[in-house]
Amino acid sequence: MDPGTIVAVIQVASKVLSLISKYYLDVKDAKADIEHLINQITVYRKILQNVERLVERGGSKRLPAASVMAIKESHDDIKSLEERLTPSKRKKAMSRLGRTALTWPFSKDKFRECVTKIEKHIASLNLALNCDQTSLVLKIDESQELSQLSVAEGAAFDSFHRQNEPRCISDTRVDILNRLYEWSQMDDRCIFWLNGMAGTGKSTIARTIAANLDNTGSLGANFFFSRGVGDLGHAGRFVTTLAHQLANTIPLLKPYICKAITNNPRICYQDLRKQWKELIIQPLLDSASQCPPLTFVIDALDECDDEANMKLILQLFVESDKFSSIRLGMIVTSRPETPIRLGFKNMPEIIHEDLILHNVPRNIVEHDIFVFLDFEFAKIGRDHSLENWPDKKEIDHVVRASDCLFIYAATVCRFIKESSLLPPEERLEAILQNSDARGYSAGATANLDEMYVQILQCSFKQEGIVQDGQRFRYVVGSIVVLSDILSVSTLSNLLGLSRRQVEAAISPLHSLLNVPNDPHSPVRLLHPSFRDFLLDKDRCKDDRFLVDRGDANKSLASACLQLLVKTLKEDICDLKAPGATVSDLQPHVIDSHLPKDIQYACQYWVDHLEQATPEQRIEVGLCDNGQIDKFFHVQLLHWLEALSIVRKVSEGVKMLVKLELMLQNGENPYLLATVYDAKRFLLSNRAVLEDAPLQLYTSALLFSPEKSLTRVRYYDESSDPIRMYPHSEATWGPCLQALEVHANTVAFSRDGLLASGSPDSSIRLWDPATGSLLCTLEGHSELVNALAFSPNGNLASGSGDETVRLWDPSTGALLSTLRGHSSSVNAVAFSPDGKLASGSADKTVRLWDPTTRSLQSVFDGHSGSVYCLAFSLDGKLASGSDDTTIRLWDLATGSLLRTLEGHSNYVSSIEFMPNGKLVSAGWDNTVQFWDIAKGALINVFETKSGIGAWSHLAFSLGSTLAIAERNMIQLYSQANGVFEALGNFSRKTSTLESLPDSEQVARASDEQLVRLYDQDQKAFRSLEGHSSHIWAIAFSSDGLQLASAGNDGTIRLWDPHERADESKSAVSDQVTVVAFSPNGKQLASNSKDSVVQLWDPVTGSLLRSLKGHSEPVKDIVFSASCQQLASASWDRTVRLWNVANGEAQAVLKVNNVIAYKILFSPDCAQLATYNTEYLQLWDIATGQQRNKHMYQLNKLLVMPGDMALSPKDSQLALISSSFVQDNSQWEIILLLWDYASGTLVEASEDELQAGFENFVITYSLDGKLLALASFFKTILWDPIRLQKLHVFNIECVKELSFSNDGSRLYTDRGLIQFSSASTCDASEQSIPRIWSLERGWLLLNGKKVLWIHPNYRPKDREIGYARSGDRVAFIHSSGRIFYLHFSSSILAIQPRVIATIDMKSS
């Protein structure tokens, strides 16, 4: 509806109100009716004004038909009311004479009818307005959802920067366009491949057909790839761009696409297959009955920079065809590059149609080129007032010279019409003379090449080019080898030239380059053939214009380095907070601190260096003491910080790997060592640097080895560094990086891809070189138990959902789902010729043909679950089961060949040896060797691990056998057919693998490490790092990496050839409790031998050992004076110690019950103990019990909680959870005990959720406030009046502390302020320092301070660390203790305010 109509209705309503007001003054006998009418008209007018605002905001440009009708009908009735209320001319005249002429024009019935109509209009308009406002909200929400999609700017055919790109003119490409359009409307085949050599006009045709389809409403979306043009050169934003276009082009699809984004907000960051499924296919399926046939146009697929993604895109298109309800066609253009050609060759012909442009008859192409030239020359002639120019012969001449390449004709036209002192006739004459001189068809591109030379010579002759072409090669040479498009402004900054110098070099080239008037818009090649020409010495015959690829890349690499040295600095984006993340930064902030030239230099300097020759690299400075060496010593961390900010950390790893390869000749050992160390540094810290760049200067340096070259260079220079005692490992160990993801099985493909299976039923594919997640395969509905790669690279997975699934790892496609098992699939294995076997808890083994997806055989014979499978080199299949047997099967017949009986418990692992013998391991603590030909047991090795130990076996390709078992490791070497034990070590073991070349074997264990055995030295070494049980390990095919999956939620990638640092802290491997003294000068820990140990946290030295307990110690606490220490043990005693001399002062026997908690009173005169039966108070001086209260009541069990002693009176508070036997439920109990009088008050704290909780409780210094917290809530009490003051819905609080004046409550989540205080008082000297550990981060008063490297995290974050003011101690699962000492700048971080309450109102 026209907004003017609404305004007109509002004006009428206003006039009616004005008229009624006159009646109100004049008419005395209808006051009530008039007031009622005034109210109704006022409401009516307000509603119309709301509608007007809605329309103005654009929310309802097309009001629903009901709304339009309601407004029109109301307008007619209001107009009628206006006419009825308007006095007649006679009455107006009488009124002017001073006589009252107005009478109320309504009878009671008429008035009631009038008001009823108005009320009806109000109701209708209200309903319409509500609908429209709801629609507006939905549209706003949809716009917000769509804004989350990453869009490649310029990908669409009608985008701004493509507005001058040509389309087919009338009477050209007629047959091709008709064929494409008819195919889009009728053909059942889902893909049309238009391919041709460079210059044959593919993109022009694609733009034209896209425009035609758009005009008819059948264009779904389009994407025009362009190599080296930012997001148009890769597939990273391919699907999200298509989805964004689809939502805006087809309104019907928008809600479905928005729903997909709402359901999965991280869809933009996930793999292409998942994006395609959720953003394209599912919305089309959901709207299939209403959605019209749609066509996608994809141009220049060959310019996508990743061959794997080209293949994946084609695969996605093919898979779309299987959804019969979706009417979706794809027009794809490309050069006939090998990956694409092979992709189409492997497709069934029924789903695609091809058209090869360079096979179109020559006469048709020449006709089209003639029409094009005639049209363009006519425009040039009109612009220059040229009549009858050029003649037909001249046009024919150019047509023949073009040799059927449209790019030739288009470039000639651009050159001739280019604004210049040289007139068009002379420019055309130059082209014609040049073609006469060389003749035609001297080669596939000869005519095009000569034309390029002619244009360059003509352009720069006129512009006065420097004779040697140096500036041309520097500027234009850089443009043609750039990895991304850059503007004139950015390019000048990068090259160290003025903008005028760059413009002078490219301004004569408007016929070859797209040079925008705006210096901040990118310069582009008009056609990639110009790049090919300039870089090929056989094509570019004029040396002044020939660009040497190596020289151009050398110059760019040097320019990039110079720019980075000049501009990079620490905290370049002014993040300040050590825990600040990249997601905290807005894009415009990043661009202002890291402009495009710096971003380009950061990302591509190594790529340019790689494309230079070895000699040119040395000129850039790739040598000891060269420019790159100095760069690593000054700017390495700044460079890595910039990569983190632009989210290119994984690319940084690849760049360092490339540098390392460039230095492998050994001529620059120091620089090689520096680069290697930088690579290890980045790999080790990649996880945190992906999002928290400033952790480079704290966490990354702190946890790097003491002798790391990066740490040595930068650690002491960092401002107020965090210190760790004792120092970290001396050198880099075997662990390259830790991938933080839960996994229970891992496998390497032959080409180095890493797959992991997870408890969440997903499979993840990783790039082990960088640690980056490539894609996630979803399809299973239960735990993934087993993975195996086939000889041809496909992946098989077995799951608890009773299926085996086959995947194509290169595309992420699910190839097939093999069903047949009736219980969990526990094992999968491929035969040497590619057959697939699966073993299940349903007691069967099934053999499948992966090619046909058919079941070949079912091997039925086991009486228990099948847990392991193995194929021999000659194709025999063995299966191991919990029925204690191994069975050998004939693959051809499916019959049982032999049953090997020897184990007395589960068979957990089997492997064939290279000589055909079989080795097996089982839960009966034996490893058995079999001659399968005879069915004879050759040898038995007995292990020492104890019954019930899972084992895993592996062979190297030679003659080394490794056996891993829960409590044991054995390594065997074959000499003259006899196996000799090389090692026998009683350590818990679960899985084992071996290197391919008989050099080493590895095993994983319950002691959270992997051990490696060297056959020659007959020795073992440890790969330590996991903090929990290791589920699985696997070697890469080249033996250069080992992957291990642990119960600690990490997959670790190891270099098995790297020796670990043997220097470890001399601390027991069973430490579970640590506690700092209040002054931070001592630290106490328990040990496996029941000894309490006192340490110096600065030096890490052991001060003294406190011996006396007969069982392990479970709790340790210092007194406030630091002179005494109390320890509670599983031996049911609490001991008091003199810290100064280590002597025992007293032994407190706590009623033969283990003490859950011990606590010194603030005055150090008393000690409180708490267990399931008693609250007890002890006199420190005498060691005697002062008072006790038996606490059993009706409670069946009391779980550990927390207690606190009031600083001001004799009150003790206890919070815990108890199981109430009467109603079989848990409840939270708050006990307040006045131990002076013996009074005990029990309160049920119903605000807290009951169960197995960790509670915390504390008093204010004046004893007037009591705070308690659980996982779900934090509560404030008045302990004197026994009154609950406030409940905070603040979760996961584990630390509480009041400020000195009681006006603030500090928690590990942040600060709760009382009264009217609005900010934290920085002058308060006693701000508590509350440390907490959450998801790998150490937090101070609720703010992220330090990311703790997985190698240093405690196994249990609840009991695995202690804190005291400026120090924090960690217990690693290995038993080592690490102390962190924080600088004043870190400690000065103010807590974040998470709640403010008015205590008066409370």
Side-chain angles (χ1 to χ4, degrees), residues 1091-1111:
V1091 174
V1092 177
Q1093 296 174 315
L1094 293 176
W1095 304 85
D1096 182 337
V1098 175
T1099 64
S1101 59
L1102 180 65
L1103 300 176
R1104 57 188 59 85
S1105 297
L1106 312 180
K1107 299 180 180 180
H1109 285 294
S1110 59
E1111 294 290 341

Side-chain angles (χ1 to χ4, degrees), residues 36-83:
H36 187 63
L37 187 57
I38 287 174
N39 290 335
Q40 293 300 313
I41 297 297
T42 301
V43 170
Y44 172 79
R45 187 176 66 170
K46 285 183 178 179
I47 293 174
L48 287 173
Q49 288 170 339
N50 288 336
V51 174
E52 180 186 25
R53 283 192 291 270
L54 182 63
V55 172
E56 285 176 349
R57 288 199 319 235
S60 187
K61 289 181 179 177
R62 292 182 219 155
L63 288 172
S67 304
V68 175
M69 184 63 67
I71 293 173
K72 286 183 176 179
E73 287 179 354
S74 67
H75 177 262
D76 294 341
D77 286 336
I78 294 295
K79 190 71 176 171
S80 175
L81 179 60
E82 178 200 6
E83 292 173 355

